[in-house]
Amino acid sequence: MRKSLVFLVFAFVAVTVSAQKLSISLFNDLALQTVLITPETEGYKLIAGDLTVDLKVNQILYISRSGDSVLVRDVSKNYGTWRRASIVAQTDKGIIRFKPIMPAQPLRVYDDNLTFYVEFNRLMAINLVEQDKYIAGVVDSEAGPGAELEFYKAQSLIARTFALSHLDKHVGEGFNLCDNVHCQAYKGRSVRDPEILKATQETKGLIIVDSNNEPITAAFHANCGGETVNSEDVWLKSLPYLKAVNDPYCRSSRGATWEARIPMDDWKAFLEEKGVKVANLSPDDYVYKEKQRKVNYTIGGVTIPFADFRSKFNLRSTFFTIDISQSQIRLRGRGYGHGVGLCQEGAMQQARKKRTFEEIIHFYYTDVRIVNFSDIQPKENLETDSIAVDTLNRE
Ligand SMILES: [Zn+2]
Ligand SMILES: [Zn+2]
């Protein structure tokens, strides 16, 4: 009885920790050696081994790799070297500036706590951040300021669905997620639009699942050009919730149309590469006027995926017509991005038309449900995730 009670208490604490804070590796694609940090708010402490130092607002600390250890100093004092050094806020309103010196990078600002240690010959910088603040930072990086609250709510669900279903993505390295597109772009705290943090808080815990209660791959892109794409047409894998839908909402937005010109010789060379006998073609054979999205283009009896043209010529989308203008190939295209899943400009327009985030999610993802993460999570996973965070907290 007593034993199971202890276990229950442990499980509850573990769940709370993993649900509230995430550990994110900062500048994960760089071999950080030295960073400069500055508390922007009161109440931060430097904690390293048995050392605890109160930090002042605007106090500058240099954190460097020194062999396998972390060296901490300020302009006048060397605090020593440690296996691990943490910068811990005493409230939930801590804000800290972070500037990589070696290699030099622009300053970023983070919420909550930082922990440093050395691994793979680099300084690891981990942001231990409250979940909603992290989600807001991701939405800010991926969607930018100036949109409607309901749009930010939809984008929050997308970011949270990914984060909470990939908590173990870097578990072997001792943190939950990295801060670049390998996981999700996270450039620090969301400051550009207060609606973003409000959206994450008003959708607290909500994620998108499929008919088997599995978190979905919540793909999104800038503009679909009026029709989204089946996942199998881009990534080969067919997913029942990533199906083509007609989208009237994005057709007059910024990224709705584009034009590109390609030298005739480059176009012909690419077709030759694909097995087309271009010597047998007349100019009319190049012309393609299909108004609906198609997966493949057929010319001279050879079928070529539009995706191949997109990657070869760095095109905005795979949705375009072809004609010849002034001896060049002229492409007139629609949309921006791969076209799978949620169309950001369409979703923004829907939010302007007072559609809710639920309506927006159900519009772009077929037969999905919106649930609270805690309602679908099997217990053993929670414990595994929380151990990673717990290890990180320990000296
Ligand atoms: Zn990653
Ligand atoms: Zn669209």
Side-chain angles (χ1 to χ4, degrees):
M1 178 71 189
R2 197 184 171 85
K3 208 169 181 181
S4 67
L5 186 68
V6 169
F7 173 76
L8 268 179
V9 169
F10 169 75
F12 175 74
V13 171
V15 168
T16 310
V17 168
S18 71
Q20 296 304 319
K21 292 235 172 171
L22 300 175
S23 51
I24 315 294
S25 172
L26 305 181
F27 293 91
N28 190 60
D29 52 347
L30 293 181
L32 285 182
Q33 301 297 318
T34 299
V35 304
L36 186 156
I37 59 160
T38 311
E40 202 170 294
T41 52
E42 280 175 19
Y44 270 101
K45 287 182 193 292
L46 161 67
I47 300 174
D50 50 11
L51 175 84
T52 301
V53 178
D54 290 321
L55 300 177
K56 299 187 191 72
V57 173
N58 292 332
Q59 181 174 354
I60 293 168
L61 280 189
Y62 293 91
I63 317 270
S64 309
R65 174 170 91 94
S66 172
D68 284 342
S69 299
V70 179
L71 170 68
V72 183
R73 63 187 173 84
D74 64 16
V75 275
S76 59
K77 191 169 164 30
N78 185 339
Y79 290 101
T81 56
W82 313 90
R83 299 298 290 176
R84 184 179 286 266
S86 298
I87 310 296
V88 181
Q90 302 307 299
T91 71
D92 61 0
K93 303 226 170 355
I95 300 170
I96 194 149
R97 293 196 285 271
F98 184 108
K99 167 103 180 81
I101 302 289
M102 258 182 66
Q105 288 290 313
L107 178 128
R108 289 184 187 170
V109 181
Y110 293 97
D111 289 298
D112 301 338
N113 302 342
L114 298 171
T115 289
F116 298 91
Y117 58 93
V118 171
E119 211 164 85
F120 318 115
N121 293 324
R122 58 161 288 182
L123 182 67
M124 299 297 297
I126 309 296
N127 185 199
L128 201 65
V129 58
E130 196 263 326
Q131 193 196 111
D132 289 335
K133 294 176 187 167
Y134 163 74
I135 300 295
V138 171
V139 171
D140 193 308
S141 300
E142 289 179 339
E148 304 285 326
L149 183 66
E150 292 300 309
F151 166 74
Y152 287 134
K153 287 183 184 173
Q155 199 82 44
S156 297
L157 263 67
I158 291 172
R160 189 180 295 110
T161 301
F162 179 88
L164 297 186
S165 58
H166 292 84
L167 290 175
D168 57 356
K169 191 132 173 147
H170 288 275
V171 76
E173 297 157 86
F175 53 89
N176 292 129
L177 298 160
C178 74
D179 68 343
N180 58 45
V181 290
H182 171 262
C183 289
Q184 307 193 95
Y186 169 62
K187 295 175 186 159
R189 74 188 302 258
S190 169
V191 289
R192 296 189 290 174
D193 193 330
E195 294 288 281
I196 296 177
L197 184 60
K198 189 174 166 200
T200 68
Q201 289 167 338
E202 288 185 7
T203 58
K204 192 177 270 301
L206 297 184
I207 64 163
I208 314 165
V209 295
D210 64 14
S211 51
N212 298 319
N213 260 354
E214 295 290 334
I216 68 165
T217 300
F220 67 94
H221 57 278
N223 186 305
C224 73
E227 285 174 58
T228 71
V229 186
N230 295 314
S231 63
E232 62 268 31
D233 296 337
V234 178
W235 300 313
L236 305 176
K237 187 173 181 181
S238 173
L239 291 165
Y241 47 84
L242 294 177
K243 290 296 164 212
V245 298
N246 257 311
D247 182 2
Y249 294 100
C250 63
R251 286 178 190 159
S252 54
S253 353
R254 203 159 31 102
T257 57
W258 54 268
E259 191 172 309
R261 283 167 192 269
I262 292 163
M264 201 65 204
D265 287 347
D266 294 359
W267 194 257
K268 284 182 176 170
F270 183 62
L271 294 180
E272 286 273 4
E273 239 175 70
K274 294 287 178 184
V276 179
K277 302 262 181 295
V278 294
N280 302 336
L281 298 177
S282 73
D284 278 353
D285 291 331
Y286 292 95
V287 176
Y288 175 82
K289 294 281 184 190
E290 181 63 63
K291 287 209 163 39
Q292 237 124 40
R293 222 189 232 284
K294 295 278 186 268
V295 180
N296 298 310
Y297 169 61
T298 300
I299 183 166
V302 178
T303 295
I304 307 166
F306 280 109
D308 291 4
F309 289 93
R310 180 171 187 232
S311 55
K312 169 71 183 178
F313 295 105
N314 209 7
L315 305 174
R316 282 186 165 206
S317 71
T318 57
F319 191 6
F320 51 85
T321 61
I322 306 168
D323 60 27
I324 297 176
S325 164
Q326 296 164 338
S327 313
Q328 287 184 315
I329 288 288
R330 177 174 62 178
L331 308 177
R332 282 191 280 195
R334 294 167 63 184
Y336 196 165
H338 53 59
V340 182
L342 179 136
C343 162
Q344 287 182 304
E345 291 189 349
M348 284 181 197
Q349 187 59 25
Q350 292 198 39
R352 268 179 230 123
K353 291 185 182 304
K354 304 296 172 212
R355 285 170 63 88
T356 64
F357 77 93
E358 290 99 335
E359 288 172 316
I360 295 170
I361 294 287
H362 289 297
F363 183 89
Y364 292 107
Y365 301 112
T366 307
D367 293 335
V368 295
R369 293 193 308 125
I370 295 170
V371 298
N372 199 298
F373 177 68
S374 58
D375 294 341
I376 60 149
Q377 187 64 353
K379 240 189 181 98
E380 60 270 32
N381 284 1
L382 278 175
E383 281 157 26
T384 317
D385 296 333
S386 59
I387 285 163
V389 174
D390 187 46
T391 309
L392 188 83
N393 281 328
R394 225 176 284 136
E395 273 304 313

